Each structure stands twice: as C-alpha cells, then as structure tokens.
Amino acid sequence: MPRAVLPVPGQTGRAVLAGLVAAVLVLVCGAPYWREHVLAAALICAGCAGFGAAGGLLVGSDDSRRRTGVLLLLGSVCGSLAWLASWNTGIWPMISFYGQGALYVLAGCAVLLYPSRRPTGRPERAWVVYGIVVLIVGQLAVQAVSRPEWNGLDPDVVWPNVASERWIFDTTILVVIGGQLVLVVWYLVLLVRRARLLSGLERPGVLPVLLATGVTGGAAAVLTVQNDAWTNLDALLSFYVLFDTIAIAIPLAVLSGALRERWREVEAPNRVVRMTSMTTSVATVRDALASALRDPTLELLFWAPAEQSYVDRAGRLVSRPIDRPTTTGRWWVEARTDERLPLALVALDEALRLRPAMVDAVLRAGSQALLTAQLQAVATAHLKQVLAAQARVEERETAERQRLENDLREGAQRQLVALSARLDRLAAGGGGLPEAVRTVAVSCRDEVRETIDDLRALARGLHPPVLRTDGLGAALDAVAERLGLTVDLAVHTGRQSSAVEATAYFALCEGLTNVAKYAPDARVRIEVVEADGWLHGTVADDGPGGARVVPGGGLAGIAERIRALHGWSVVESSVGAGTRLRVSLPCD
C-alpha cells in the first residue's frame, strides 16, 4: 500500500528543509528591497517558507496530493524569483515578471488539483491555458511594446523591446489588466463550483483551502486594477508585499488540513479497535468502519466459502460488485485474512481513493472483528437457506392440501352424492322392492351421508373454502361454531398470501381444538391484528391452564410450521390462569 501521506519524521524534515530553502531564496532575490523593509522581509519570507513547507510535505506522498506538492514547491521558487525586480539591473527584472505570472498559474493549478489527480473538467483545463496566455504571453507583449523606463526600471536592463509606442503600451496594459480580471473572476467561479461538488469526506480538508484561495484571488482582482504597479517599481514591489502577505493563507490552510488528515490516519484504526473491543457483531463492525472512515454510506459484503459467493449483512446471497451495474461511483476494497483468504468486500465513497493508506490501516485494525462478523453473516445466510427450504416445503404442503381438497370434492364426494341419490330412490320403494331391501337401502344411504359429512369436514380441514374466499375471520368463526365454543372474535387485518393465511389459520385452529378438548366451558377470545409488516394472532381462554408443548404434539407441529415462514409462536399456560397461544408471521 502507499506510504502515509503526512508528517512522519522523514516527511517533516523534508517540509522544514523546503521551507527554509524557499525563505532563503526569497531573502536573496529581494535583498535590495529588504534592507529598508525589514518587516516586509519577515512576512514574505514566512509566506514563501509556508509554500515551500506545504509543498515539501505533500511531495513525499505517493497519492494524488504529490502533484499538488510539486506545484507548490515550484510556486515558492517562482514567487521568490519575482523579487529579482528589486535588483533593477541586467536580466533580473524581466525574469521577475515571468516568475510572478508563473506563481499565479502554478498556485491556481495546485489548488484545482487538490486533492484530486487532475483538474476535474474542461473549464479548469481551459483556465490553466488562459492563465498562461494572460500572465506569461501578456507580460511578453507588454515588454515587447515598451521601454524599461516606462515600467519604472533603469534604461540599461535587458528588455525584449520590439516597438516603442506609448499609446500601444498603455492600450496593451489595459488589455492585459482586463484579461487578468476575467482570469480572477473565472477562477472564483471554478472555486465555487468545486466547493459545491465536494463530498462529505473531502469538505473538511479542502474547503478551507478553497476559501483561502478565493480570498487571495479577490485581493488580486482589487490590486490588479491599480495600474501604477505597471509603471513604477516601488508600487510594483509594494503590490508584491500585499499580495504575498494575503497569499500566506493558502499554505496555512494546506498545512492545517494536512495535520487534520494525519490525525485522522492515526486515530481511525484506534477508533475501530475501541468500537469493536466490547462487542462484535455485523452491525457493530459496519458502524465502526463507517465511523473511522467518516463514510456513512459504507457497505459490507462477506465471503461465504461454501457458496463461493458473497452475502450481505442480512445473510442474503449477492452477486459480485463487478456484476452489478448499480455500483457505479463506489470504490470496492477487498479485505483478506493474514493467509490472504477472501474475507469481505467494503464499498466506500469514491473520495476515499485519495486515502488508500488510511483505508488499509483501518481494515487491518478491524480484520479480527471482520472475521467474527463474517462468521455471523455466513451463519445467518445458512439459517436463511434452511428457513427458505422449510418455507418452500410449507408452500408445497399448502398446495397439496388444496389439491387433495379439490380431489375429494370433485371426485369421491361427487360419487358418494350420486350413490346417496340412488339409495334415496331405492329407499322410497322404487321398482317394487321388498321391505327388507328398502330397509338395507335406508341404512346404506344414512352411512353414505355420514361419510359425505366426514369427507366435507376433512376437505374443510385441509383447506376450507371460506378461508380462501372470505379470509381468516370467517374461517375461524366457522371453526368455533363447529366446535361449539363461544368465542369473542376480533380480526383486524387485510388479506395475506395463501401460505401466511393457511399457517395462521391452522395454528389458531389448534388452539381452539385444545380449548374444546380440555376446557369446553371456558370463555375464548381470538384476536388477529396486522402491525409493522407482521400478522399477530392470539387464542386466549380462562380455563384451568397447565398446557404444555409436547414433542410430536399438535402445538409442537404448529411451532415448526410457523418457523418455516420465519415466524414464531409462544404458549403461556399457568395452572389456574388459563392458556394463551400467540403466533406471529411476517406478511408478504
């Protein structure tokens, strides 16, 4: 993984050295001016040292901020060279003008890059090109149509003069000033646009830098319109003092943000360890990682070796992120065990790509907790698979009961009804049959009718039609009436899936059957309600109580069927206090 970005001993030394070199360089370049302006010398040396230190701090990183560091270092050098104008001899004034223009372009580009790898779009890249044209080519144009003394310099300095027309010189200055104002306004617009596009992770570190750069750019716009600096050397140097003093805010913002980022890198792994030291669960580990990385959108997928796939926090099997088009804009990081075995996939905010060292440290610190959470997630996935298989069995049983009901009603029951009709005719004396035969026919007819009643009761027990047509309330009322119980029935729910309704029906019927068997004179209340996506049913009586769930008994079978649909049941039955059966099923 990349090295840590911010102050480790080697990088601290590099930052201090770069700051000292920048301070010494500006002190040498502006020596003639500093002799009479000591306070200004201290301010400007501090400002250049800040640029150099910020650049030296970032240039040692292997992540995206390295380019910003290089640009800041180059900017500190160019800013120092701008003070060569104070020598007012030879080639130095001409170099100083280009140095100041290069400082503006380099510093502006450094902020646009921070902390990303490159300017984010065409407007930023176009600004860089336009800045070079205005600040470098524009300065060359001013020099080409002027004489040194028109710029407040000695006549003997080296100067690329081509034409010497005063009106052309004045017009060119106005054009260049106008171009610089456009450049500043354009840059301020880019800063605002950049600030609005910052993610929550980038905002704390980047926003102060953008604000400091915006203030500096605004000051540059105000100072630029004072064109005395174009024709008077003292005014130009005073302009440099004011601008460089204000520009100190940029390296200070970069340094303060760098220190905060370093603190985050150090603190983040410790936060994970603290949050997972007391208790470890899938939810705890996810929250610990999200808190340490300051990414509330963090997602976790755990590797399930048996399935050779990933499961989410709820234990559901999911496809690999590369196969899911909805993962665009997310950074998926693979966490592995010390043996390099797959452990988990962590979905992070795209901005964390700029902090790979911190992400690696956090995942390493939470590796043991991730391993525990993986075992829990895989166990949950296996349980869900078992429950899903039970649910499928229950659905097949419900469908089979419906099929048997239809077969009984359409097959055997219809044949028996037809037989009963023929026996009715025989019993009525049709065909002059003897009395003994009619007596046998009556007896057979009665037995057939009893069989028909038994078949109808059996069919209703398999899957009563009233449940299918009118719902739980009507079906339970019919059962209570058939059992001869006085029931206070309260059903407050809409229609559910056939599996849920059938399971709830048979569970509550089992409760009513137990009441009819052991407490036929008890008062009974049935209540069915739907709340928060669950169907809750209760059968309560005031009988003698003392009911127990016996393995292989009816109540035990009901509990198994309810668990197959991811529900639960409870039997409360104290001696002398009646019995209460409560069931809960998730609604589809």
Side-chain angles (χ1 to χ4, degrees):
M1 294 298 292
R3 299 192 304 272
V5 174
L6 300 171
V8 296
Q11 290 175 317
T12 301
R14 184 186 299 108
V16 172
L17 179 61
L20 289 176
V21 170
V24 171
L25 184 59
V26 75
L27 192 63
V28 172
C29 292
Y33 187 74
W34 306 139
R35 295 190 188 100
E36 299 178 0
H37 303 84
V38 178
L39 180 58
L43 288 173
I44 303 310
C45 286
C48 282
F51 270 97
L57 193 65
L58 299 182
V59 78
S61 66
D62 285 341
D63 67 9
S64 59
R65 287 171 289 181
R66 182 174 187 176
R67 295 187 181 184
T68 297
V70 171
L71 292 174
L72 289 177
L73 282 179
L74 293 175
S76 67
V77 172
C78 292
S80 300
L81 295 178
W83 289 97
L84 288 173
S86 63
W87 292 88
N88 199 12
T89 184
I91 199 174
W92 308 124
M94 185 174 64
I95 293 177
S96 79
F97 295 152
Y98 296 125
Q100 188 70 11
L103 167 63
Y104 297 154
V105 174
L106 291 171
C109 189
V111 174
L112 292 178
L113 284 172
Y114 184 79
S116 305
R117 297 182 182 276
R118 56 183 59 84
T120 54
R122 287 186 178 180
E124 288 83 359
R125 292 191 290 270
W127 181 90
V128 174
V129 175
Y130 181 72
I132 293 173
V133 171
V134 171
L135 298 173
I136 307 299
V137 179
Q139 184 60 53
L140 177 61
V142 170
Q143 294 176 2
V145 298
S146 67
R147 298 174 182 173
E149 57 269 25
W150 294 355
N151 293 269
L153 302 172
D154 287 344
D156 61 346
V157 301
V158 176
W159 205 249
N161 174 262
V162 175
S164 302
E165 293 291 339
R166 185 73 191 198
W167 70 271
I168 298 178
F169 170 65
D170 293 337
T171 302
T172 304
I173 289 178
L174 292 176
V175 172
V176 173
I177 289 176
Q180 291 181 356
L181 289 175
V182 171
L183 185 70
V184 171
V185 173
W186 185 353
Y187 192 71
L188 293 177
V189 172
L190 291 179
L191 292 181
V192 173
R193 176 174 175 267
R194 182 71 185 283
R196 295 179 62 182
L197 295 176
L198 288 176
S199 68
L201 292 171
E202 294 176 311
R203 191 168 289 112
V206 179
L207 200 56
V209 177
L210 299 182
L211 182 60
T213 308
V215 171
T216 304
V222 174
L223 297 174
T224 296
V225 299
Q226 301 176 2
N227 60 1
D228 290 347
W230 294 87
T231 58
N232 185 285
L233 181 59
D234 289 335
L236 176 65
L237 296 177
S238 297
F239 167 80
Y240 286 172
V241 170
L242 288 174
F243 179 81
D244 290 358
T245 301
I246 297 172
I248 293 176
I250 298 176
L252 289 179
V254 173
L255 288 170
S256 65
L259 292 174
R260 286 196 301 271
E261 288 299 321
R262 177 54 179 167
W263 173 250
R264 281 184 59 192
E265 290 184 356
V266 173
E267 174 62 14
N270 296 332
R271 183 187 292 264
V272 173
V273 174
R274 285 198 307 271
M275 293 183 67
T276 58
S277 59
M278 299 299 294
T279 179
T280 302
S281 65
V282 174
T284 301
V285 173
R286 185 267 166 198
D287 292 343
L289 294 177
S291 175
L293 296 173
R294 297 184 183 179
D295 181 7
T297 65
L298 183 144
E299 301 175 49
L300 278 177
L301 299 179
F302 296 95
W303 177 250
E307 289 76 13
Q308 289 294 295
S309 182
Y310 287 93
V311 297
D312 61 13
R313 291 192 294 162
R316 295 183 293 265
L317 291 174
V318 296
S319 59
R320 289 183 60 86
I322 57 175
D323 301 327
R324 295 159 58 194
T326 58
T327 58
T328 303
R330 303 288 287 162
W331 182 34
W332 288 88
V333 179
E334 186 176 43
R336 291 180 173 269
T337 64
D338 294 338
E339 293 78 21
R340 305 305 299 162
L341 298 176
L343 181 58
L345 282 176
V346 188
L348 302 171
D349 190 296
E350 188 73 19
L352 282 171
R353 285 185 185 273
L354 306 176
R355 304 291 182 270
M358 182 176 68
V359 172
D360 181 62
V362 167
L363 293 183
R364 288 180 184 276
S367 60
Q368 197 61 40
L370 276 172
L371 180 59
T372 303
Q374 180 203 29
L375 297 176
Q376 294 179 8
V378 171
T380 301
H382 291 165
L383 177 61
K384 282 186 174 292
Q385 292 174 23
V386 171
L387 293 177
Q390 291 178 345
R392 289 192 294 271
V393 170
E394 177 63 26
E395 290 176 356
R396 286 196 295 270
E397 289 180 355
T398 301
E400 184 64 18
R401 284 194 296 268
Q402 291 177 340
R403 186 188 65 79
L404 288 174
E405 176 205 353
N406 292 332
D407 289 347
L408 288 174
R409 187 173 60 252
E410 301 296 331
Q413 183 176 327
R414 177 179 295 177
Q415 293 173 5
L416 288 174
V417 169
L419 177 60
S420 175
R422 288 196 295 270
L423 291 172
D424 271 341
R425 288 193 294 272
L426 289 175
L433 293 175
E435 183 64 27
V437 173
R438 289 199 301 272
T439 301
V440 172
V442 170
S443 176
C444 291
R445 180 198 62 189
D446 293 341
E447 290 182 5
V448 168
R449 288 177 176 176
E450 291 178 0
T451 302
I452 291 173
D453 292 338
D454 290 341
L455 280 177
R456 285 172 176 168
L458 176 61
R460 286 195 299 269
L462 288 171
H463 198 86
V466 67
L467 175 64
R468 189 167 56 246
T469 58
D470 299 332
L472 271 173
L476 291 172
D477 188 51
V479 173
E481 182 179 355
R482 190 165 62 250
L483 293 175
L485 298 174
T486 301
V487 175
D488 180 11
L489 182 63
V491 177
H492 305 289
T493 178
R495 297 306 301 268
Q496 307 294 332
S497 68
S498 59
V500 171
E501 282 192 340
T503 302
Y505 169 78
F506 287 115
L508 298 176
C509 283
E510 183 65 28
L512 287 174
T513 301
N514 283 339
V515 174
K517 183 176 181 180
Y518 298 108
D521 298 326
R523 289 177 298 181
V524 184
R525 176 172 174 79
I526 301 177
E527 185 174 4
V528 182
V529 297
E530 181 181 350
D532 300 326
W534 283 78
L535 185 70
H536 303 285
T538 303
V539 177
D541 67 72
D542 59 358
R548 295 289 181 268
V549 179
V550 179
L555 292 176
I558 288 299
E560 292 177 359
R561 292 177 64 177
I562 290 174
R563 282 198 298 270
L565 294 183
H566 303 182
W568 54 269
S569 64
V570 175
V571 176
E572 301 169 348
S573 184
S574 301
V575 176
T579 301
R580 178 186 297 267
L581 169 64
R582 292 188 294 132
V583 299
S584 295
L585 291 163
C587 301
D588 291 342

